[in-house]
Amino acid sequence: MSDTQLYPQINPPHRLLMGPGPINADPRVLRAMSSQLIGQYDPVMTGYMNEVMALYRGVFRTQNQWTMLVDGTSRAGIEAVLVSAIRPGDKVLVPVFGRFGHLLCEIARRCHAEVHTIEVPWGEVFTPDQIEDAIRQVKPRLLLTVQGDTSTTMLQPLEELGAICRRHGVLFYTDATASLGGNPLQADEWGLDAVSAGLQKCLGGPSGSSPVTLSPEMASVISKRRCIEQGIRSASHEDGDDEMIWSNYFDLGMIMDYWGPERLNHHTEATSMLFAARECARIMLEEGMDNIIARHALHGRAMVAGIQGMGLSVFGDIANKMNNVMGVVIPENVHGEAVRKTLLEDFHIEIGTSFGPLQGKIWRIGTMGYNARKDCVLQTLAALEAVLNRQGFRTTQGAAMQAAWDIYDAEARP
Ligand SMILES: *Cc1c(COP(=O)(O)O)cnc(C)c1O
């Protein structure tokens, strides 16, 4: 047998991805990705880069000039912001309410930051007062937050944190990978200095590109370090403790030079991913940011009603849950992994498992991006209910569907 017979052309099965991400990409995004490549400095390509900057200003709701893509998965955007903003010895404060808060701490430690954390139990979020108290005590240079932590499904309210950060002279970052597009985010109005995201959650694309936006203040902090790298120490620059950014690939100063009018060569922009990111933003802005958030809220509510309708409970503080993902408490005597396996094998539906303290305790079900749709919600509920009954967990047959339909009917009635 020849190698190509052993390894035939790729042909993945049709799955309905209803976990916490990735989800099925919008076919429009896949079509954009299959477009032919053009040269890195072709005016058409640099034109696309400028368009992407403009489109993502709309998505992040910002006027920030420095709104661009970091090539790599969402973690690349997080790492780019952190390595570019954090100087060795900087104090950072991380309110940790799930797995991704720990990731911010881990990356910040690699940047030789002095990392301070506050924590709440998984399933809860922080009040602005708790965060301000910690800022008073720690006096950090940066506040590093996660807006929506998929590990717990919770959404940290950020609206009031920008004003707090300004009062205390703190730079304010959030990882909005899981929440952007499904929940409100107003980068400028909320005083965010940096936001990073990814395509594979509510944006309806594949993983592999990370949109980021930087406030003028954050951009200037990063540019100062860039000047030092280039041996241009500006006279106005007093703090001698700035150091060269240790990463070349994630040096946002260099990435700004590439995306900006100077077009200094850095990496080769990941062209097909840029096509994808551009189409994701176009789809969102066409629908309208408020409408897309409302759509995620509706299908999230329908999924919650259906889950409760079949006698299961929702994990965590529902008032602070992300619209686009929910935790379902696995009932006693039900084998969580066996349920997931049957859903995948017999229905081609994927739902998520969990990590850390929640491992084996909850499933995570997402209704996001291209899959924040009525048919996806109803199919998932019907399948899950059937599998649970098959495994001996008795529900009132059909109750889940009726509960979800009630939500849709109520929405349709003005
Ligand atoms: C899903 C998720 C990510 C994903 O990062 P990748 O590098 O794209 O895998 C990052 N942050 C949060 C909060 C997430 O929910």
Side-chain angles (χ1 to χ4, degrees), residues 170-187:
V170 174
L171 290 165
F172 178 24
Y173 161 74
T174 202
D175 170 9
T177 304
S179 45
L180 184 66
N183 308 267
L185 182 129
Q186 308 265 359

Side-chain angles (χ1 to χ4, degrees), residues 73-75 78 100 146 148-150 175 177-178 200-201 207:
T73 68
S74 324
R75 191 176 296 232
I78 300 171
F100 287 99
V146 176
D149 201 311
T150 30
D175 170 9
T177 304
Q200 76 268 35
K201 309 274 168 86
S207 74

Side-chain angles (χ1 to χ4, degrees), residues 74-247:
S74 324
R75 191 176 296 232
I78 300 171
E79 196 149 306
V81 171
L82 266 52
V83 307
S84 301
I86 296 173
R87 305 169 306 191
D90 274 347
K91 282 189 199 172
V92 304
L93 175 66
V94 188
V96 177
F97 62 100
R99 175 173 181 248
F100 287 99
H102 289 296
L103 175 66
L104 296 182
C105 295
E106 200 258 359
I107 298 173
R109 281 192 198 101
R110 287 175 190 257
C111 300
H112 302 288
E114 184 184 316
V115 178
H116 296 259
T117 59
I118 47 175
E119 291 199 41
V120 285
W122 284 34
E124 295 175 25
V125 294
F126 297 88
T127 63
D129 283 347
Q130 282 174 302
I131 292 176
E132 184 162 26
D133 286 347
I135 287 179
R136 277 205 193 89
Q137 273 188 0
V138 173
K139 299 189 185 3
R141 182 163 172 269
L142 290 113
L143 174 68
L144 308 178
T145 63
V146 176
Q147 186 188 19
D149 201 311
T150 30
S151 65
T152 71
T153 75
M154 293 296 115
L155 183 81
Q156 172 62 48
L158 301 178
E159 298 84 310
E160 294 174 44
L161 303 185
I164 293 172
C165 285
R166 260 195 309 283
R167 268 204 294 285
H168 297 276
V170 174
L171 290 165
F172 178 24
Y173 161 74
T174 202
D175 170 9
T177 304
S179 45
L180 184 66
N183 308 267
L185 182 129
Q186 308 265 359
D188 287 359
E189 205 176 305
W190 296 358
L192 280 151
D193 288 299
V195 185
S196 68
L199 304 188
Q200 76 268 35
K201 309 274 168 86
C202 302
L203 279 66
S207 74
S209 178
S210 179
V212 300
T213 189
L214 309 175
S215 70
E217 176 163 17
M218 181 61 94
S220 115
V221 160
I222 292 168
S223 299
K224 262 199 224 163
R225 297 181 75 182
R226 179 96 182 94
C227 289
I228 288 161
E229 280 167 31
Q230 294 171 332
I232 315 161
R233 193 172 278 268
S234 80
S236 64
H237 180 55
E238 316 273 77
D239 17 339
D241 54 350
D242 273 11
E243 265 186 42
M244 190 161 145
I245 294 168
W246 58 262
S247 169

Side-chain angles (χ1 to χ4, degrees), residues 181-184 290-304 321-324 367 372 407-408 411:
N183 308 267
D290 290 333
N291 294 336
I292 196 174
I293 292 161
R295 173 162 62 87
H296 280 94
L298 171 64
H299 296 294
R301 267 203 317 282
M303 186 64 91
V304 166
K321 191 184 85 53
M322 277 187 275
N323 286 328
N324 50 299
T367 38
I407 297 284
Y408 289 123
E411 176 81 9

Side-chain angles (χ1 to χ4, degrees), residues 21 23 46 48 67 87 89 116 160 185 196 266 281 331 347 349 378:
I23 52 106
T46 51
Y48 287 154
T67 303
R87 305 169 306 191
H116 296 259
E160 294 174 44
L185 182 129
S196 68
H266 184 239
F347 292 88
I349 295 176
L378 295 179

